[in-house]
């Protein structure tokens, strides 16, 4: 499903964000990417979204080489990837339902498809009853649920989450993790970049650890720190 | 696809309304510059058509002094008749000239009544048609210092003077119009830049969920284009207004020169088409530059 082959990426020529990184993630997997700040987690996600191109190496997603994609095809690549961020990135003047439907409308989905899928996505994240609220009327956890609904509403192959619980308290974080787990059970590949140790330890999923841009650990049912 | 068209139109209209002060400024600048352009074109067409009709086929008029002697008249007459360039001449005597003058100033009889003009004081004239109107100047120069000749009226020369003056005015108008059009493009660029800034969150989300580049760009393109088009609509109104004013002037004046200035209707259509095209180009240009510089997709 996702495959990084000897990917190297540096910024402004000097700072090495990823060094000769090779990873394979199969369809339907749930993967944590861990490591301290600046270890290359975010670069990993940006490369997969083709927001950046690597200096060398190949990146494959669903049988397509991401780095060789023509610029006009990049939007179609991104339709296969749902994204969730630490800062939610909701549109403040749109309601919950509008925020989610926006993601479908701007890729030209017909109205009846939008209505049903938005309804389903909001039910999945448990916000069916709050669909006409504005983001500022919701708690942080609820806002992140809206973001997850928006990321998932187009049924992407992959769901990427960059520090999804960075702004949330532990209890709320657990709720978001459960939600991501539920999405994973529908067959969606989920990749979560985080340094929330308790979450990683609680979930006991595959862990990929990066340090100074190098892959230092790939463990099938890992925890955040080195387990001895 | 209809839904995205609807979306683009809604977005563009929303953006225009949000920055309405800037939008109005841009539209007015477009309108003023396009009006100048339209005015120049109408003037150009009007003047190009100038052929002074001083009676049918008259190319030159030799005005005699009102007290010219019979011998002087005779001399001029004979000379005219002997010139190969002159094909035909007729004499307008005191009485006929006076009648003609009264007709000319029928709306303002004070002109001759107050001066107490009588028929004998009005200059008589020879009206001539030439086999080739281009020879007017040659014929005119022959009589320039002839005794008894008051002045020579050479309609072609007059038309040329008008063309020269209007040429200068046209040049000034075009220069101002070009400067204004450039500022209009910059103003449109700026409104679009503001719109892009105001919608940066939406744009970021659109990129993230995989909206195509054109889907993101088109509302902003539409915004610039509609500013150009609305400006052109206003300018079209001004062009038709000018056309009507010219028509009024021509029908309510007795100046033969002005009378020849009415541009035919199809020329106004050409002007309007040009005004619209230029408006659209300016709008598209402003928004394209803004999109290239400020909208990373």
């Amino acid at each position: 499903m996702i495959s990084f082959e000897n990917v190297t990426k540096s910024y402004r020529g000097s700072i090495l964000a990823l060094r000769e990184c090779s990873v394979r993630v199969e369809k339907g997997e749930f993967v944590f990417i861990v490591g301290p700040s600046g270890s290359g987690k975010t670069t990993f996600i940006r490369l997969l979204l083709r927001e950046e191109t690597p200096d060398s190496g190949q990146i494959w997603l669903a049988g397509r080489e991401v780095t060789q994609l023509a610029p006009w095809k990049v939007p179609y690549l991104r339709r296969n990837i749902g994204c969730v961020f630490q800062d939610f990135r909701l549109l403040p003047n749109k309601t919950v339902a509008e925020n989610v439907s926006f993601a479908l409308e701007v890729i030209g989905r017909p109205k009846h498809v939008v209505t049903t899928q938005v309804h389903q996505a909001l039910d999945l994240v448990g916000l069916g009853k709050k669909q006409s609220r504005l983001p500022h009327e919701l708690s942080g956890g609820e806002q992140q649920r809206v973001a997850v609904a928006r990321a998932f509403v187009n049924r992407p192959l992959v769901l990427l989450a960059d520090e999804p619980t960075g702004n949330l308290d532990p209890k709320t974080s657990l709720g978001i993790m459960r939600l991501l787990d539920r999405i994973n059970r529908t067959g969606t590949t989920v990749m979560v970049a985080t340094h929330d140790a308790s979450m990683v330890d609680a979930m006991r999923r595959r862990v990929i650890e990066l340090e100074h841009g190098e892959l230092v650990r790939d463990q099938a049912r890992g925890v955040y720190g080195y387990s001895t | 696809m209809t839904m995205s068209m609807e979306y683009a139109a809604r977005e563009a209209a929303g953006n225009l309304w949000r920055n309405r002060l800037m939008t109005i400024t841009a539209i007015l600048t477009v309108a003023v510059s396009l009006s100048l352009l339209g005015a120049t074109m109408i003037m150009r067409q009007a003047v190009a058509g100038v052929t002074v009709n001083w009676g049918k086929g008259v190319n030159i008029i030799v005005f005699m002094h009102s007290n010219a002697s019979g011998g002087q008249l005779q001399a001029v007459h004979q000379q005219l008749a002997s010139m190969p360039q002159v094909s035909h001449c007729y004499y307008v005597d005191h009485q006929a000239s006076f009648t003609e003058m009264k007709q000319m100033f029928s709306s303002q009889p004070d002109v001759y009544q107050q001066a107490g003009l009588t028929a004998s004081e009005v200059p008589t004239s020879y009206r001539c048609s030439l086999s080739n109107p281009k020879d007017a100047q040659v014929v005119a120069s022959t009589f320039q210092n002839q005794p008894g000749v008051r002045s020579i009226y050479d309609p072609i020369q007059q038309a040329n003077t008008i063309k020269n003056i209007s040429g200068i005015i046209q040049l000034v108008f075009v220069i101002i119009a070009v400067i204004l059009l450039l500022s209009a493009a910059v103003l449109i660029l700026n409104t679009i830049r503001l719109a892009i800034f105001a919608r940066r969150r939406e744009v970021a989300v659109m990129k993230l969920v995989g909206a195509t580049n054109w889907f993101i760009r088109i509302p902003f393109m539409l915004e610039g284009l509609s500013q150009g088009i609305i400006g052109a609509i206003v300018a079209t109104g001004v062009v038709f207004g000018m056309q009507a004013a010219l028509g009024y002037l021509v029908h309510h004046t007795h100046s033969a020169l002005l009378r020849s200035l009415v541009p035919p209707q199809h020329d106004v259509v050409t002007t309007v088409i040009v005004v619209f095209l230029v408006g659209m180009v300016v709008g598209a240009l402003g928004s394209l530059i803004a999109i290239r510089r400020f909208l990373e997709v």
Side-chain angles (χ1 to χ4, degrees):
Chain A
M1 167 61 64
I2 299 167
S3 164
F4 275 53
E5 290 169 13
N6 303 318
V7 175
T8 299
K9 171 72 188 173
S10 59
Y11 291 104
R12 269 180 269 128
S14 55
I15 310 150
L16 216 51
L18 274 186
R19 186 191 312 213
E20 293 289 317
C21 180
S22 295
V23 181
R24 269 190 78 86
V25 176
E26 298 305 328
K27 182 166 161 55
E29 268 195 280
F30 190 116
V31 183
F32 282 112
I33 307 169
V34 301
S37 297
S39 59
K41 304 191 296 284
T42 302
T43 301
F44 194 93
I45 284 173
R46 290 177 63 83
L47 285 171
L48 201 53
L49 283 169
R50 232 316 258 282
E51 284 180 357
E52 311 266 6
T53 46
D55 302 344
S56 62
Q58 291 184 324
I59 300 168
W60 294 83
L61 181 103
R64 270 174 298 186
E65 225 279 82
V66 173
T67 60
Q68 297 297 320
L69 226 50
W72 69 268
K73 282 183 180 163
V74 171
Y76 300 96
L77 165 82
R78 292 182 184 159
R79 290 180 191 187
N80 294 317
I81 308 170
C83 271
V84 179
F85 298 93
Q86 182 172 3
D87 55 357
F88 317 141
R89 302 197 189 172
L90 300 176
L91 302 175
N93 52 350
K94 289 192 191 299
T95 66
V96 167
E98 282 166 353
N99 261 286
V100 178
S101 55
F102 185 72
L104 290 179
E105 280 166 11
V106 299
I107 58 171
R109 291 281 181 276
K111 219 160 209 156
H112 63 275
V113 174
V114 173
T115 319
T116 28
Q117 287 192 201
V118 168
H119 195 75
Q120 286 171 6
L122 284 175
D123 276 347
L124 178 80
V125 301
L127 285 173
K129 292 201 172 84
K130 295 194 172 178
Q131 56 172 306
S132 17
R133 301 283 185 89
L134 288 169
H136 70 86
E137 298 170 332
L138 303 177
S139 72
E142 287 170 330
Q143 288 186 43
Q144 193 61 299
R145 283 168 186 273
V146 179
V148 171
R150 182 179 65 192
F152 186 63
V153 72
N154 193 33
R155 305 290 153 84
L157 299 168
V158 185
L159 188 79
L160 297 178
D162 193 0
E163 304 280 5
T165 59
N167 276 340
L168 305 174
D169 61 74
K171 193 164 170 267
T172 315
S173 299
L174 195 65
I176 295 294
M177 281 301 169
R178 289 223 175 98
L179 179 57
L180 295 179
D181 186 49
R182 197 183 311 157
I183 284 171
N184 178 236
R185 283 171 210 276
T186 66
T188 310
T189 310
V190 178
M191 295 185 82
V192 182
T194 185
H195 43 228
D196 190 336
S198 56
M199 283 309 120
V200 180
D201 294 346
M203 299 287 285
R204 281 281 173 166
R205 295 299 193 110
R206 180 176 172 193
V207 174
I208 293 168
E209 184 170 349
L210 295 170
E211 205 179 307
H212 304 304
E214 278 185 276
L215 194 131
V216 294
R217 177 164 60 119
D218 189 345
Q219 211 174 359
R221 290 175 67 84
V223 291
Y224 188 81
Y226 280 106
S227 51
T228 45
Chain B
M1 238 32 289
T2 52
M3 183 164 155
S4 31
M5 285 305 290
E6 194 189 306
Y7 166 86
R10 210 172 46 220
E11 287 293 295
N15 286 346
L16 286 172
W17 180 245
R18 197 173 299 116
N19 291 322
R20 48 197 173 277
L21 207 64
M22 277 295 296
T23 303
I24 289 168
T25 314
I27 288 174
L28 281 182
T29 314
V30 173
V32 170
S33 48
L34 290 180
S35 301
L36 275 175
L37 196 72
T40 312
M41 287 188 66
I42 284 192
M43 204 190 295
R44 197 182 177 76
Q45 292 160 356
V47 172
V50 167
T51 46
V52 177
N53 295 317
W54 197 285
K56 270 224 167 83
V58 171
N59 306 117
I60 193 162
I61 303 167
V62 180
F63 283 103
M64 305 302 294
H65 282 294
S66 51
N67 56 0
S69 67
Q72 286 168 338
L73 287 172
Q74 195 61 35
V76 170
H77 181 74
Q78 270 169 7
Q79 227 173 321
L80 279 169
S82 68
M83 287 182 91
Q85 296 97 330
V86 179
S87 68
H88 171 72
C89 267
Y90 64 96
Y91 180 66
V92 182
D93 64 8
H94 284 294
Q95 201 52 52
S97 299
F98 190 54
T99 318
E100 193 183 71
M101 191 196 73
K102 278 200 279 196
Q103 261 174 10
M104 258 190 196
F105 295 102
S106 60
S107 56
Q108 50 219 89
D110 297 357
V111 172
Y112 58 92
Q113 276 174 359
Q114 273 182 358
L117 273 176
T118 58
S120 60
E121 286 168 324
V122 177
T124 56
S125 58
Y126 287 98
R127 313 239 159 134
C128 306
S129 43
L130 306 177
S131 30
N132 182 356
K134 282 182 182 151
D135 293 330
Q137 222 158 349
V138 182
V139 178
S141 62
T142 317
F143 295 97
Q144 208 72 64
N145 296 310
Q146 186 95 357
V149 173
R150 187 171 185 264
S151 63
I152 295 139
Y153 180 81
D154 171 359
I156 290 175
Q157 183 113 36
Q158 288 245 332
N160 281 341
T161 312
I162 288 176
K163 279 178 187 172
N164 288 341
I165 293 171
S166 88
I168 293 167
I169 297 173
Q170 282 169 36
L171 188 70
V172 172
F173 272 26
V174 165
I175 290 171
I176 297 174
V178 167
I179 293 170
L180 281 176
L181 280 173
L182 284 177
S183 11
V186 172
L187 281 170
I188 289 173
L189 191 152
N190 204 34
T191 54
I192 308 257
R193 191 178 69 130
L194 287 175
I196 290 172
F197 186 73
R199 303 192 70 76
R200 63 195 181 286
R201 283 205 193 89
E202 277 89 343
V203 169
V205 171
M206 284 195 263
K207 281 194 262 182
L208 199 66
V209 301
T212 56
N213 294 347
W214 281 110
F215 189 91
I216 298 173
R217 283 177 186 146
I218 278 173
F220 297 112
M221 283 292 299
L222 220 57
E223 190 186 338
L225 211 59
S226 53
Q227 287 180 44
I229 290 173
I230 295 170
I233 291 172
V234 175
T236 303
V238 174
V239 165
F240 276 112
M242 282 190 297
Q243 163 85 354
L246 200 64
Y248 179 85
L249 223 79
V250 165
H251 289 299
H252 292 79
T253 186
H254 293 275
S255 159
L257 263 177
L258 268 179
R259 205 174 290 196
S260 61
L261 286 180
V262 199
Q265 207 66 29
H266 80 267
D267 282 357
V268 177
V269 173
T270 316
T271 305
V272 167
I273 291 170
V274 169
V275 159
F276 262 91
L277 281 180
V278 173
M280 282 161 79
V281 165
V282 165
L285 206 69
S287 41
L288 262 179
I289 295 171
I291 286 167
R292 285 237 172 269
R293 288 197 50 189
F294 305 110
L295 186 69
E296 287 169 33
V297 291

